[in-house]
Amino acid sequence: MRYLNPKADLTFKKVFGEHPDLIMSLLNALLPFETADDEIDEIEYLTPELAPETPLKKNSIVDVRCRDRRGRQFIVEMQMLWSSAFMQRVLFNASKAYVRQLDGNEKYELLQPVYSLNLVNDVFEPDVPGYYHDYRIVQVEHTDKVIEGLRFIFVELPKFTPHTYNEKKMQVLWLRYLTEIDDRTREVADELMANPDIKKAVTQIEVSAYNDAQLLGYDDFWDAVRVEKTLVSDAMQKGLKQGLKQGLEQGLEQGLEQGLKQGFEQGCEEGRAEGRAEGRAEGLREERIKNARRMKAKGYPVSDIAEITGLGIDEVENL
């Protein structure tokens, strides 16, 4: 049996965006509910697009958004690469979902909590132990005093090691599902297949469940991830070089540390900006055109090709 990687955009949304029982199981396993009464027993999917109230405001789309019978909202994101901008986007999306629960005639007391679960296939807290990070709005002097309403969970998938977290069975099983299965997997571990929820999720990522057009889109997603990793690596190298130069100019003793930090941050930002404008345009466009030609040669509709590759309909027609 051949499988696809469950962390890809196509597979993640199919597994958790189309099966209420599976997203409910994932949320109950990974969210910090204090009692069994807090757990979710029913899910209603909401549109993942958080449309702006006016055309001039920012639009945003999340991977999965849903609501339980109490009115609590849950936003789930799968992020392949970490950036500081991602955390700001998480805050923006959760805040938007929170404030838009009410219209002008309702009371603030009706607002229900919004939970944001973010699965990150990258390490963003290298100096902090553990893979699980729980953020709340707390009083600085007395952290037991909390402003309820927003809660943010970040999971660093590369840090996860199953043998050290045996007390949370479903959390371990779901994280093993996300970290152990990929395109090279031919046989899934018995412990995973023994659980009904995990077994169902595994069947959803079998290669045979997808058509050729979807598989081309899947390949295009990983091409984009590889290009993005290259851009980040180039930005880091540029930042380090600029930081060394600036540090040496300011003096090895006083300027090296500050110069490295400033140069690294500035270089990363400049490199990322330049990379998105140039690298993505050069690297991704060629691959998307290649995929579009293959799909067109097989007779796929132009509109489907445009949607999967991100090319314009006129571009596809002219290939």
Side-chain angles (χ1 to χ4, degrees):
M1 182 69 67
R2 293 181 57 208
Y3 301 95
L4 300 181
N5 193 316
K7 295 187 291 293
D9 188 67
L10 172 70
T11 50
F12 190 85
K13 290 179 179 178
K14 178 178 178 60
V15 173
F16 299 111
E18 298 180 9
H19 301 277
D21 54 332
L22 297 184
I23 187 62
M24 188 165 58
S25 176
L26 179 75
L27 290 170
N28 282 332
L30 290 176
L31 291 181
F33 295 135
E34 297 179 358
T35 68
D37 291 337
D38 292 331
E39 293 188 356
I40 308 163
D41 57 10
E42 185 176 321
I43 279 292
E44 171 195 2
Y45 281 118
L46 302 174
T47 174
E49 184 176 5
L50 293 164
E53 296 175 358
T54 68
L56 298 179
K57 293 185 177 181
K58 187 175 181 61
N59 188 28
S60 54
I61 300 176
V62 298
D63 289 333
V64 180
R65 186 165 72 102
C66 53
R67 177 173 56 203
D68 70 355
R69 66 169 73 231
R70 304 185 196 181
R72 297 179 298 180
Q73 285 194 42
F74 307 92
I75 296 175
V76 183
E77 290 266 48
M78 179 68 237
Q79 180 72 7
M80 297 306 299
L81 297 173
W82 175 259
S83 70
S84 58
F86 175 67
M87 184 169 282
Q88 299 304 313
R89 192 181 85 199
V90 166
L91 176 61
F92 177 81
N93 288 336
S95 301
K96 181 185 288 188
Y98 184 73
V99 301
R100 292 185 61 187
Q101 295 179 61
L102 303 182
D103 60 31
N105 299 321
E106 295 178 319
K107 298 180 179 180
Y108 293 118
E109 291 81 0
L110 297 177
L111 287 167
Q112 295 298 315
V114 173
Y115 291 82
S116 177
L117 173 61
N118 305 280
L119 304 163
V120 185
N121 195 42
D122 203 355
V123 174
F124 63 90
E125 291 283 12
D127 300 324
V128 177
Y131 66 87
Y132 191 93
H133 308 289
D134 184 0
Y135 293 82
R136 307 175 77 180
I137 303 175
V138 301
Q139 187 184 48
V140 174
E141 296 84 1
H142 304 282
T143 56
D144 60 321
K145 298 184 181 298
V146 180
I147 297 178
E148 301 290 352
L150 295 176
R151 193 151 186 177
F152 307 91
I153 305 301
F154 291 84
V155 178
E156 294 178 283
L157 294 177
K159 284 186 179 180
F160 169 69
T161 51
H163 62 278
T164 59
Y165 301 98
N166 294 324
E167 70 280 6
K168 298 180 180 180
K169 181 179 178 182
M170 280 309 300
Q171 184 174 123
V172 169
L173 290 177
W174 275 120
L175 293 180
R176 285 187 61 186
Y177 169 80
L178 291 170
T179 56
E180 292 183 8
I181 304 175
D182 57 27
D183 305 77
R184 297 166 294 182
T185 302
R186 294 297 178 267
E187 185 173 348
V188 179
D190 292 339
E191 310 92 89
L192 299 182
M193 297 301 286
N195 181 275
D197 289 344
I198 306 298
K199 182 177 181 180
K200 179 178 178 179
V202 169
T203 63
Q204 300 303 312
I205 57 173
E206 293 175 359
V207 172
S208 58
Y210 299 85
N211 59 42
D212 290 342
Q214 290 173 320
L215 293 175
L216 284 174
Y218 175 85
D219 291 338
D220 192 48
F221 170 83
W222 289 114
D223 289 336
V225 171
R226 283 189 286 270
V227 170
E228 184 74 7
K229 285 183 177 180
T230 300
L231 298 178
V232 171
S233 177
D234 291 346
M236 291 177 65
Q237 293 296 324
K238 180 178 179 180
L240 287 172
K241 290 179 181 178
Q242 186 170 344
L244 283 170
K245 179 180 179 181
Q246 185 174 349
L248 290 171
E249 290 174 349
Q250 293 177 352
L252 288 177
E253 293 184 0
Q254 298 180 355
L256 183 57
E257 182 176 355
Q258 181 180 359
L260 280 170
K261 181 179 180 181
Q262 293 177 348
F264 178 81
E265 293 176 349
Q266 182 177 352
C268 282
E269 290 299 323
E270 293 178 357
R272 189 181 295 277
E274 293 174 4
R276 292 187 190 282
E278 300 176 5
R280 188 178 293 276
E282 296 174 0
L284 287 181
R285 180 172 176 77
E286 181 177 347
E287 187 64 28
R288 288 174 175 175
I289 290 175
K290 178 181 176 182
N291 287 337
R293 284 199 176 102
R294 291 164 55 194
M295 295 169 67
K296 192 173 183 180
K298 292 183 178 182
Y300 291 108
V302 171
S303 59
D304 289 350
I305 298 174
E307 180 179 355
I308 292 171
T309 63
L311 299 175
I313 291 180
D314 292 341
E315 294 179 277
V316 175
E317 290 177 342
N318 292 329
L319 288 178

